[in-house]
Amino acid sequence: MGKLGGKVAIITGAAQGMGAEHARRFVREGARTIFTDINEAAGAALENELGAQSLFVRHDVSDEGDWQKVIESAEERFGPVSILVNNAGILGPGAKATELALADFTKVCAINQTAVFLGTKHVIPSMIRGGGGSIVNVSSISGIVAIYGTPNVAYAASKFAVRGITKQVAIEFGEHKIRANSVHPGYIRTPMMTAALDDDQIKVASASVPIKSVGEVEDVSNLVVFLASDEARFITGSEYIIDGGLTAL
């Protein structure tokens, strides 16, 4: 049995990129895994790859009704939820505060921040019924420090908020054996990165990291699996930076 044997997990934004790697790892580690996304074609293909221990659900993470349906689907198929990975997120337009439209700010916060609240709100009753659980919120180093030269006030606001939500949930629900931790990746080779940076820019990013490399999605999945597992049973309310030392500079 793997590190997550016997557990039921929900992972959002998991049809591709980092989330898809989390889903693969969770299934390999023994978790019955519900993974969600708005990309139905990619989600169906990944469900076919992962087999009967997985279930794909189309899901707008900013919609409260969709969250209720996801929890219901998870419980009907596999039982009470024991792990939630709030992975879904968008970068949004890179703009300074004076240049950003309110609609763009609101959209980024709805997906990166409000969705974390909604997922937490609706999964906790299921976790309590199951005797506890682990919430892993994927933030960013932009939720730890401001990134000079990369204006994106909406992204920074949303990712700092995820860190705060995580800590508050940890102290409010610890008595129910529910843990909450946040993960803060730096430069990770994902579709989001390759859409935002060309090859030369990725080389520059690699050179700026103390270990002279960008991270891979597997690096982040290793950490997420650990925090979701019973090996991390005494860890809650904490943030974990995975950035090759970038924020140590």
Short mmCIF file of all heavy atoms in Angstrom, two decimals, residues 179-213:
data_model
loop_
_atom_site.label_atom_id
_atom_site.label_comp_id
_atom_site.label_asym_id
_atom_site.label_seq_id
_atom_site.Cartn_x
_atom_site.Cartn_y
_atom_site.Cartn_z
N ARG A 179 -5.86 19.07 9.00
CA ARG A 179 -4.65 19.86 8.84
C ARG A 179 -4.75 20.70 7.57
O ARG A 179 -5.41 20.30 6.61
CB ARG A 179 -3.42 18.95 8.74
CG ARG A 179 -3.21 18.09 9.96
CD ARG A 179 -1.97 17.21 9.86
NE ARG A 179 -2.08 16.22 8.79
CZ ARG A 179 -1.45 16.27 7.62
NH1 ARG A 179 -0.65 17.29 7.34
NH2 ARG A 179 -1.59 15.31 6.72
N ALA A 180 -4.09 21.85 7.57
CA ALA A 180 -4.04 22.70 6.38
C ALA A 180 -2.65 23.30 6.25
O ALA A 180 -2.12 23.86 7.22
CB ALA A 180 -5.08 23.81 6.46
N ASN A 181 -2.06 23.14 5.08
CA ASN A 181 -0.73 23.68 4.80
C ASN A 181 -0.72 24.26 3.39
O ASN A 181 -1.50 23.84 2.53
CB ASN A 181 0.33 22.58 4.92
CG ASN A 181 0.47 22.08 6.34
OD1 ASN A 181 1.03 22.74 7.19
ND2 ASN A 181 -0.07 20.89 6.60
N SER A 182 0.18 25.20 3.16
CA SER A 182 0.30 25.78 1.82
C SER A 182 1.66 25.46 1.21
O SER A 182 2.67 25.34 1.92
CB SER A 182 0.08 27.30 1.86
OG SER A 182 0.97 27.94 2.75
N VAL A 183 1.66 25.33 -0.10
CA VAL A 183 2.86 25.02 -0.88
C VAL A 183 3.14 26.22 -1.79
O VAL A 183 2.22 26.73 -2.45
CB VAL A 183 2.65 23.73 -1.70
CG1 VAL A 183 3.80 23.51 -2.67
CG2 VAL A 183 2.48 22.54 -0.77
N HIS A 184 4.40 26.64 -1.84
CA HIS A 184 4.76 27.87 -2.54
C HIS A 184 5.86 27.60 -3.58
O HIS A 184 7.04 27.78 -3.29
CB HIS A 184 5.21 28.92 -1.53
CG HIS A 184 4.15 29.29 -0.54
ND1 HIS A 184 3.36 30.41 -0.68
CD2 HIS A 184 3.70 28.65 0.57
CE1 HIS A 184 2.49 30.46 0.32
NE2 HIS A 184 2.68 29.40 1.08
N PRO A 185 5.45 27.17 -4.78
CA PRO A 185 6.45 26.90 -5.82
C PRO A 185 7.04 28.18 -6.39
O PRO A 185 6.38 29.23 -6.47
CB PRO A 185 5.66 26.14 -6.89
CG PRO A 185 4.37 25.74 -6.24
CD PRO A 185 4.11 26.79 -5.21
N GLY A 186 8.29 28.05 -6.83
CA GLY A 186 8.92 29.11 -7.61
C GLY A 186 8.80 28.80 -9.08
O GLY A 186 7.71 28.49 -9.58
N TYR A 187 9.91 28.86 -9.80
CA TYR A 187 9.89 28.55 -11.24
C TYR A 187 9.77 27.04 -11.44
O TYR A 187 10.70 26.30 -11.17
CB TYR A 187 11.16 29.05 -11.91
CG TYR A 187 11.31 30.56 -11.97
CD1 TYR A 187 12.42 31.19 -11.42
CD2 TYR A 187 10.35 31.35 -12.59
CE1 TYR A 187 12.58 32.57 -11.49
CE2 TYR A 187 10.49 32.72 -12.66
CZ TYR A 187 11.60 33.33 -12.10
OH TYR A 187 11.74 34.69 -12.16
N ILE A 188 8.61 26.60 -11.90
CA ILE A 188 8.35 25.19 -12.17
C ILE A 188 7.94 25.06 -13.63
O ILE A 188 7.11 25.82 -14.13
CB ILE A 188 7.22 24.64 -11.27
CG1 ILE A 188 7.51 24.93 -9.79
CG2 ILE A 188 7.04 23.14 -11.52
CD1 ILE A 188 8.72 24.25 -9.22
N ARG A 189 8.52 24.08 -14.32
CA ARG A 189 8.23 23.90 -15.74
C ARG A 189 6.82 23.32 -15.92
O ARG A 189 6.60 22.12 -15.79
CB ARG A 189 9.26 22.97 -16.38
CG ARG A 189 9.30 23.06 -17.91
CD ARG A 189 10.24 22.01 -18.51
NE ARG A 189 11.52 22.00 -17.86
CZ ARG A 189 12.56 22.79 -18.18
NH1 ARG A 189 12.41 23.66 -19.16
NH2 ARG A 189 13.71 22.72 -17.54
N THR A 190 5.88 24.19 -16.19
CA THR A 190 4.48 23.82 -16.39
C THR A 190 3.97 24.51 -17.65
O THR A 190 4.63 25.43 -18.17
CB THR A 190 3.61 24.28 -15.21
OG1 THR A 190 3.63 25.72 -15.17
CG2 THR A 190 4.10 23.73 -13.88
N PRO A 191 2.79 24.12 -18.15
CA PRO A 191 2.22 24.87 -19.28
C PRO A 191 2.05 26.35 -18.98
O PRO A 191 2.18 27.19 -19.89
CB PRO A 191 0.87 24.17 -19.49
CG PRO A 191 1.09 22.77 -19.03
CD PRO A 191 2.02 22.89 -17.86
N MET A 192 1.77 26.71 -17.73
CA MET A 192 1.64 28.12 -17.37
C MET A 192 2.97 28.84 -17.57
O MET A 192 3.02 29.96 -18.09
CB MET A 192 1.17 28.27 -15.92
CG MET A 192 0.94 29.72 -15.51
SD MET A 192 0.43 29.91 -13.77
CE MET A 192 -1.22 29.25 -13.83
N MET A 193 4.07 28.19 -17.17
CA MET A 193 5.39 28.81 -17.34
C MET A 193 5.74 28.94 -18.82
O MET A 193 6.17 30.01 -19.27
CB MET A 193 6.48 28.01 -16.64
CG MET A 193 7.89 28.47 -17.02
SD MET A 193 9.22 27.46 -16.36
CE MET A 193 9.51 28.35 -14.85
N THR A 194 5.57 27.88 -19.57
CA THR A 194 5.99 27.91 -20.97
C THR A 194 5.11 28.83 -21.82
O THR A 194 5.53 29.29 -22.87
CB THR A 194 6.01 26.49 -21.57
OG1 THR A 194 4.74 25.87 -21.39
CG2 THR A 194 7.07 25.63 -20.87
N ALA A 195 3.88 29.09 -21.33
CA ALA A 195 3.03 30.06 -22.03
C ALA A 195 3.49 31.48 -21.74
O ALA A 195 3.32 32.37 -22.58
CB ALA A 195 1.58 29.88 -21.61
N ALA A 196 4.07 31.68 -20.55
CA ALA A 196 4.47 33.04 -20.15
C ALA A 196 5.90 33.37 -20.54
O ALA A 196 6.24 34.54 -20.76
CB ALA A 196 4.29 33.20 -18.65
N LEU A 197 6.78 32.35 -20.64
CA LEU A 197 8.20 32.58 -20.88
C LEU A 197 8.67 31.77 -22.08
O LEU A 197 8.31 30.60 -22.24
CB LEU A 197 9.04 32.16 -19.66
CG LEU A 197 8.70 32.81 -18.31
CD1 LEU A 197 9.57 32.21 -17.22
CD2 LEU A 197 8.86 34.32 -18.37
N ASP A 198 9.51 32.38 -22.92
CA ASP A 198 10.11 31.62 -24.02
C ASP A 198 11.37 30.91 -23.51
O ASP A 198 11.75 31.04 -22.33
CB ASP A 198 10.41 32.52 -25.22
CG ASP A 198 11.39 33.65 -24.90
OD1 ASP A 198 12.24 33.50 -24.00
OD2 ASP A 198 11.31 34.71 -25.57
N ASP A 199 12.03 30.15 -24.38
CA ASP A 199 13.18 29.35 -23.96
C ASP A 199 14.30 30.21 -23.37
O ASP A 199 14.92 29.83 -22.36
CB ASP A 199 13.72 28.53 -25.14
CG ASP A 199 12.80 27.40 -25.53
OD1 ASP A 199 11.90 27.06 -24.73
OD2 ASP A 199 12.95 26.85 -26.64
N ASP A 200 14.56 31.34 -23.99
CA ASP A 200 15.61 32.22 -23.48
C ASP A 200 15.26 32.76 -22.10
O ASP A 200 16.13 32.86 -21.22
CB ASP A 200 15.87 33.37 -24.45
CG ASP A 200 16.57 32.93 -25.73
OD1 ASP A 200 17.20 31.85 -25.72
OD2 ASP A 200 16.48 33.66 -26.74
N GLN A 201 14.01 33.09 -21.91
CA GLN A 201 13.58 33.61 -20.61
C GLN A 201 13.65 32.52 -19.53
O GLN A 201 13.97 32.81 -18.37
CB GLN A 201 12.17 34.18 -20.71
CG GLN A 201 12.09 35.48 -21.50
CD GLN A 201 10.66 35.91 -21.76
OE1 GLN A 201 9.80 35.09 -22.10
NE2 GLN A 201 10.39 37.20 -21.61
N ILE A 202 13.37 31.29 -19.91
CA ILE A 202 13.49 30.19 -18.95
C ILE A 202 14.95 29.97 -18.56
O ILE A 202 15.27 29.70 -17.40
CB ILE A 202 12.86 28.90 -19.53
CG1 ILE A 202 11.34 29.07 -19.61
CG2 ILE A 202 13.21 27.69 -18.66
CD1 ILE A 202 10.62 27.92 -20.28
N LYS A 203 15.86 30.14 -19.52
CA LYS A 203 17.28 30.04 -19.20
C LYS A 203 17.70 31.13 -18.22
O LYS A 203 18.48 30.89 -17.29
CB LYS A 203 18.11 30.13 -20.48
CG LYS A 203 18.02 28.91 -21.38
CD LYS A 203 18.84 29.10 -22.66
CE LYS A 203 18.71 27.89 -23.57
NZ LYS A 203 19.45 28.08 -24.86
N VAL A 204 17.19 32.32 -18.43
CA VAL A 204 17.48 33.43 -17.51
C VAL A 204 16.93 33.12 -16.12
O VAL A 204 17.58 33.35 -15.10
CB VAL A 204 16.90 34.75 -18.05
CG1 VAL A 204 17.02 35.85 -16.98
CG2 VAL A 204 17.63 35.16 -19.32
N ALA A 205 15.71 32.57 -16.10
CA ALA A 205 15.11 32.20 -14.81
C ALA A 205 15.93 31.14 -14.10
O ALA A 205 16.17 31.23 -12.89
CB ALA A 205 13.68 31.70 -15.03
N SER A 206 16.40 30.16 -14.85
CA SER A 206 17.23 29.11 -14.26
C SER A 206 18.51 29.68 -13.66
O SER A 206 18.93 29.29 -12.56
CB SER A 206 17.59 28.06 -15.33
OG SER A 206 16.45 27.42 -15.83
N ALA A 207 19.11 30.62 -14.36
CA ALA A 207 20.35 31.22 -13.89
C ALA A 207 20.16 32.02 -12.61
O ALA A 207 21.10 32.19 -11.82
CB ALA A 207 20.95 32.12 -14.97
N SER A 208 18.92 32.50 -12.37
CA SER A 208 18.66 33.30 -11.18
C SER A 208 18.43 32.46 -9.93
O SER A 208 18.40 32.98 -8.82
CB SER A 208 17.43 34.19 -11.42
OG SER A 208 16.24 33.41 -11.47
N VAL A 209 18.26 31.16 -10.10
CA VAL A 209 17.99 30.26 -8.98
C VAL A 209 19.32 29.71 -8.45
O VAL A 209 20.18 29.31 -9.24
CB VAL A 209 17.08 29.09 -9.45
CG1 VAL A 209 16.86 28.09 -8.33
CG2 VAL A 209 15.75 29.64 -9.96
N PRO A 210 19.52 29.67 -7.14
CA PRO A 210 20.79 29.19 -6.60
C PRO A 210 21.22 27.82 -7.10
O PRO A 210 22.42 27.59 -7.31
CB PRO A 210 20.55 29.19 -5.08
CG PRO A 210 19.62 30.35 -4.88
CD PRO A 210 18.70 30.31 -6.07
N ILE A 211 20.28 26.90 -7.31
CA ILE A 211 20.69 25.59 -7.81
C ILE A 211 20.74 25.54 -9.34
O ILE A 211 20.97 24.49 -9.93
CB ILE A 211 19.80 24.45 -7.28
CG1 ILE A 211 18.35 24.60 -7.77
CG2 ILE A 211 19.84 24.38 -5.77
CD1 ILE A 211 17.50 23.38 -7.46
N LYS A 212 20.56 26.70 -9.98
CA LYS A 212 20.73 26.87 -11.44
C LYS A 212 19.82 25.96 -12.26
O LYS A 212 20.23 25.40 -13.28
CB LYS A 212 22.20 26.66 -11.83
CG LYS A 212 23.18 27.57 -11.10
CD LYS A 212 22.80 29.02 -11.24
CE LYS A 212 23.72 29.94 -10.45
NZ LYS A 212 23.26 31.35 -10.42
N SER A 213 18.59 25.86 -11.83
CA SER A 213 17.63 25.04 -12.57
C SER A 213 16.22 25.46 -12.17
O SER A 213 16.00 25.89 -11.04
CB SER A 213 17.82 23.56 -12.23
OG SER A 213 16.80 22.77 -12.79
#
